[in-house]
Amino acid sequence: MTLPSTRFVRLLYSLTVALGAFLLFLLEPLFAKMILPRFGGSAAVWSTCLVFFQSALLLGYYYADVLTRRLSATRQASTHIALLMVSLALMPVAPHVVLSAPSSNYPAFHILVLLMASIGLPFVLLSATSPLIQAWKARMGAAAYHLFAISNFASLVALLSFPFLIEPRMSSHRQAQLWSMLYAVFVILCSLTAWMSRREGAIAGAVSAAVQVEQAATDPAVVVAAASASPAPSSRHDWILWLALSACGSVLLLATTNHLTEDVAPVPLLWVLPLASYLLTFTMAFARRSFYSRWLMMRFVAVVLGSLGYAIYDPSFTESVQVAVPLFCLGLFVCCLFCHSELARLRPAPERLTSFYLMIASGGALGAIFVGLIAPVLFAAAYEYPLSLCLMALAAAAVLWNTGWLSRAFWTVGTAALVAVLAYHVHAYERNSILVARNFYGGLRVQLHYDWLKRPYHTLYHGQIEHGAQFLDPPKSADPITYYPRNSGVGLALDFFGQPSRHIGVVGLGSGTIAAYSRRGDEVRFYEINPLIVKIANQEFSYLNNARTNGVDVAIRMGDARLSLAADDSERFDVLVIDAFSGDAIPVHLLTREAVALYLRRLKPDGILAIHTSNTYLDLNPVVKLLADDARCESRLISNSDDLRKLIDAADWMLLTRNQDFLLKLDENTLQDSIEVPPRLRVWTDDYNNLFQILRPMKFLNKSAD
């Protein structure tokens, strides 16, 4: 029978699992956002954080497995309670400085060390909560797998709450304080659960032993039947499938997240949507009542893989962010639902659930490590997403291999087709390239092209986005082209100052095109976080070398621009250029109230701040206008048109200044565009931004016009 206290303990189990999972997945975007500015706002910060989160999850599951298998009920409780109390010493949660400064060459290592020192112990203990309590509940003879669904549902609530409810309303500091207080509540609740489970486990064990003795005395056949009913140990084949299906889901999660954040913006909203989709599939797969239909799901997976494969083959299919985000998140959801439902179908008996979860966590960690740490070293460009589609097709073929020859033939052909898409993608990406390289901050390539007069020029790309170009032969090699022509906003700002010894600051090096505007005696300071960009600008382009030859003092400050500008207290610029885009992704921390205040402090009284706002997905002009108004500074939007024969690209530049002479000249001689500010758009700060309000309208490229 079920004792009243036992019912209370089971309720306590559910509450503890839910709160632990909520705090675990609230901590992930919260802490990642707190450390993001330290590493230049790079999209790779989140993928590196996911490597830590998945690895710490594995460590938590291993801890739960060892604790439940090797210690008595009393020692399990006392050990876990002691560690929970020790973890309180790390509160309130905050990034603890371990290394003196982030390494530009190995930032992933610094991120992992920072995470381990700051949140390692609390994260591991929170990760262990679900499998540990499920094991305690199973020890009482009660069903426990539904707690995994509760855990994932609470995780999903936390993830969706962060960008929509918590982040817009609280500063990061307040969020950290609130999280720390809730963690203290969790420690009390989990300690009570551990202590109660020790007593209830002993009661349940004694009752079970008494019942078995009584049954054996009346009917010895019952003992034999119970022994024969015990499930056989899981086969090696099952263990491999557990690992492979879990790893496949993890690879898809990180590859999808990277694909979105590298082209839009590394912000919590685009972190949590894929992760929420991933967790929702676990919730659905391990719910008490499963609605999984293999026959139906395998058809959904086939359609999704075909659509995503076409999106890789023809990127114009997802040119609009309103199409890209739903499509890739839907693809992740369908594929992960298949993988995780198959995992739920293959789950073992409750007494082996900690080993089962350990294999799931191992697969998740292996997938995260492959995408987050190995792939950037192994591949010259970001090929993980099309590769993840191939792995998904291969996993589906392996799981469905025994369903008939037709299924085997279909998935063999489907896998081959996706491999062909991957090969085409690699070929198209590297075509005409003289250099293809990659590091923590993304993939870069330099291509050789010829203009309509057969004059050679180099073009720098970050992903699919042009990042600068230069003619190879003089005198054309001295021309500023692409987004930086003389009639562009930045060109007008730089040409306004005719005096010698101008002081120019540039956030974002690119190909070094801005150096083409410099004259003898000028001082030009570039702020760049990516050492690979510096190498390419010096070796494949000549803007910097030409400026140095002409007597210009050119210097490059390595590191995040905001940190470097804050440290360079003596710098005062005539023109400060903000051009720190990575592809179409924007480092949001460079477009906030605090950032603009810093920029204006680094300007001379009549200086000009030029912000490059060209972006495929986002209309940044209203954001900058609000920032200018908030800083009581005049702003103007200058847009120039394409001139393909001169290699000029259309560009938007926002110019912020208090220089009335420049504004008067600009208003008299230059055509300007008006800016329509969305009615509910607020000033962006270090603690608040909203991408939904500035999304550009949906559009598709007309390939016939290319």
Side-chain angles (χ1 to χ4, degrees), residues 321-397:
V321 68
Q322 292 95 328
V323 173
V325 173
L327 175 64
F328 290 116
C329 287
L330 176 63
L332 174 69
F333 173 80
V334 171
C335 293
C336 286
L337 183 59
F338 173 81
C339 291
H340 298 156
S341 296
E342 288 295 324
L343 276 173
R345 190 180 63 84
L346 294 169
R347 58 191 173 191
E351 55 266 26
R352 286 192 291 275
L353 62 84
T354 53
S355 298
F356 174 63
Y357 290 141
L358 186 61
M359 291 304 295
I360 291 178
S362 298
L366 288 174
I369 290 171
F370 172 76
V371 176
L373 300 181
I374 297 176
V377 177
L378 191 62
F379 303 135
Y383 300 138
E384 299 90 75
Y385 191 74
L387 178 61
S388 71
L389 301 182
C390 297
L391 295 176
M392 180 63 215
L394 191 62

Side-chain angles (χ1 to χ4, degrees), residues 33 162-172 175 267-268 588-589 591-594 623 626-627 680-694:
K33 183 182 178 182
F162 185 80
F164 297 112
L165 297 178
I166 298 174
E167 187 186 24
R169 291 171 172 81
M170 293 185 187
S171 67
S172 296
Q175 292 171 33
V267 293
V588 175
H589 73 293
L591 285 178
T592 65
R593 171 188 288 153
E594 295 82 356
V623 174
L626 285 184
L627 289 170
R680 296 185 179 180
L681 184 64
R682 288 165 45 193
V683 175
W684 284 11
T685 68
D686 286 346
D687 293 317
Y688 171 81
N689 58 75
N690 190 327
L691 294 181
F692 274 129
Q693 293 177 305
I694 59 168

Side-chain angles (χ1 to χ4, degrees), residues 240-249 338-340 342-343 346 395 399:
I240 293 174
L241 278 180
W242 294 347
L243 191 68
L245 290 170
S246 176
C248 187
F338 173 81
C339 291
H340 298 156
E342 288 295 324
L343 276 173
L346 294 169
V399 170

Side-chain angles (χ1 to χ4, degrees), residues 166-345:
I166 298 174
E167 187 186 24
R169 291 171 172 81
M170 293 185 187
S171 67
S172 296
H173 180 68
R174 288 289 305 276
Q175 292 171 33
Q177 288 180 328
L178 177 61
W179 190 93
S180 301
M181 289 188 290
L182 288 176
Y183 183 76
V185 174
F186 165 79
V187 167
I188 296 172
L189 197 62
C190 194
S191 299
L192 179 61
T193 302
W195 189 253
M196 294 290 289
S197 69
R198 173 195 62 82
R199 186 173 64 86
E200 294 296 326
I203 294 174
V207 171
S208 176
V211 169
Q212 289 180 10
V213 169
E214 182 179 352
Q215 288 179 340
T218 57
D219 187 0
V222 172
V223 178
V224 177
S228 62
S230 179
S234 302
S235 66
R236 180 179 296 179
H237 177 264
D238 288 339
W239 283 61
I240 293 174
L241 278 180
W242 294 347
L243 191 68
L245 290 170
S246 176
C248 187
S250 180
V251 167
L252 281 165
L253 168 63
L254 268 79
T256 301
T257 305
N258 287 348
H259 194 74
L260 292 175
T261 56
E262 287 182 359
D263 282 339
V264 184
V267 293
L269 176 63
L270 294 181
W271 296 342
V272 303
L273 288 179
L275 188 54
S277 300
Y278 176 81
L279 288 175
L280 180 59
T281 62
F282 267 120
T283 303
M284 296 173 65
F286 285 86
R288 284 183 181 270
R289 184 178 180 183
S290 175
F291 296 95
Y292 175 64
S293 168
R294 176 187 274 189
W295 181 90
L296 186 61
M297 185 55 60
M298 64 185 292
R299 284 157 176 78
F300 281 150
V301 170
V303 171
V304 162
L305 289 179
S307 301
L308 296 175
Y310 183 76
I312 297 300
Y313 171 78
D314 181 10
S316 66
F317 183 57
T318 53
E319 179 72 11
S320 170
V321 68
Q322 292 95 328
V323 173
V325 173
L327 175 64
F328 290 116
C329 287
L330 176 63
L332 174 69
F333 173 80
V334 171
C335 293
C336 286
L337 183 59
F338 173 81
C339 291
H340 298 156
S341 296
E342 288 295 324
L343 276 173
R345 190 180 63 84

Side-chain angles (χ1 to χ4, degrees), residues 8-79:
F8 170 75
V9 171
R10 290 179 178 177
L11 176 61
L12 199 59
Y13 287 162
S14 298
L15 290 175
T16 305
V17 166
L19 181 57
F22 182 85
L23 291 175
L24 181 68
F25 282 87
L26 189 62
L27 179 60
E28 292 187 7
L30 167 62
F31 202 83
K33 183 182 178 182
M34 291 172 71
I35 68 173
L36 185 64
R38 296 187 178 203
F39 302 93
S42 170
V45 171
W46 176 245
S47 61
T48 307
C49 287
L50 281 178
V51 172
F52 171 82
F53 297 148
Q54 293 279 34
S55 301
L57 186 71
L58 170 60
L59 184 58
Y61 281 18
Y62 179 73
Y63 162 76
D65 183 57
V66 171
L67 201 69
T68 54
R69 287 192 299 106
R70 298 188 179 181
L71 297 181
S72 64
T74 301
R75 289 189 175 181
Q76 289 177 34
S78 57
T79 300

